[in-house]
Amino acid sequence: AIPATTATATAASCASTREHTDLDGAVIQDGYGPRGLSLPPDECRAACGRTRGCNVWVSCADAKACGQQCWLKWVEVPSTAPLRGEGAHVPWSAGTCEKDKPGSVPLPSAEQLEAVRVVALRTAKGELRIKLRPDWHAPSVTYVRTVALTDTCTAKCVLPESPHRPSRSQLAVTAPGRL
């Protein structure tokens, strides 16, 4: 399944496809195994455009070499995504989307940030609610509030998948006063 979306990229923001290219980035959704995405390049590019946090995608264009794996990834600057491989021997197609990068979403006002008292980390296993305390490290609390209120991660917001830490974690603001 493709992760939940909160914004739709314009077609132009994910317009380019580079054949015989593999790009690197922090994995948002992998393309391997029973829960991996299996999409051809055009559909993989579209999935990245619809997926929060995705601004790099790679899809196997050679079913014999690697199936139809589709990997959704995030990098801070999509136009300079690190190259993992390139050339006729590389069975991947890849591309970037000019979205979900630091500074692409207006930051919340000080009043909006201050109003966030409780955040929730939503995972496939349930919800972990965190009451933000005034005596905690102020820059860290501000960062958590900002991530919870905006639609863009400025660091690795999606945690690597493990049996104890599902990959579809999402930070969100909960109703004021609820804990």
Side-chain angles (χ1 to χ4, degrees):
I2 296 172
T5 61
T6 56
T8 302
T10 63
S13 71
C14 297
S16 67
T17 297
R18 295 168 58 184
E19 293 182 8
H20 302 290
T21 302
D22 187 5
L23 298 174
D24 205 0
V27 175
I28 301 255
Q29 171 71 50
D30 69 52
Y32 183 75
R35 295 196 310 197
L37 291 180
S38 179
L39 301 171
D42 287 344
E43 290 178 34
C44 188
R45 179 181 65 217
C48 184
R50 293 188 309 266
T51 302
R52 178 183 183 211
C54 181
N55 58 21
V56 174
W57 62 271
V58 295
S59 178
C60 183
D62 182 347
K64 291 179 184 175
C66 45
Q68 283 192 320
Q69 295 181 40
C70 170
W71 293 70
L72 305 182
K73 304 177 181 184
W74 180 86
V75 294
E76 193 166 326
V77 182
S79 61
T80 61
L83 190 63
R84 290 179 48 129
E86 188 172 43
H89 65 284
V90 176
W92 299 90
S93 291
T96 60
C97 300
E98 287 300 316
K99 67 180 201 74
D100 294 347
K101 53 190 177 181
S104 65
V105 173
L107 292 176
S109 69
E111 288 174 344
Q112 290 170 317
L113 287 173
E114 228 12 77
V116 177
R117 302 276 186 236
V118 178
V119 295
L121 180 62
R122 293 188 184 123
T123 73
K125 300 281 185 185
E127 189 172 272
L128 172 66
R129 294 171 186 254
I130 304 166
K131 184 175 183 179
L132 301 172
R133 297 176 40 113
D135 57 325
W136 288 353
H137 183 250
S140 296
V141 170
T142 299
Y143 175 76
V144 168
R145 287 173 170 162
T146 302
V147 170
L149 288 173
T150 61
D151 194 31
T152 303
C153 295
T154 58
K156 280 180 137 177
C157 295
V158 177
L159 305 171
E161 187 170 336
S162 79
H164 306 289
R165 204 171 20 184
S167 65
R168 293 182 195 93
S169 299
Q170 181 181 348
L171 197 60
V173 178
T174 63
R178 286 183 55 206
L179 185 63

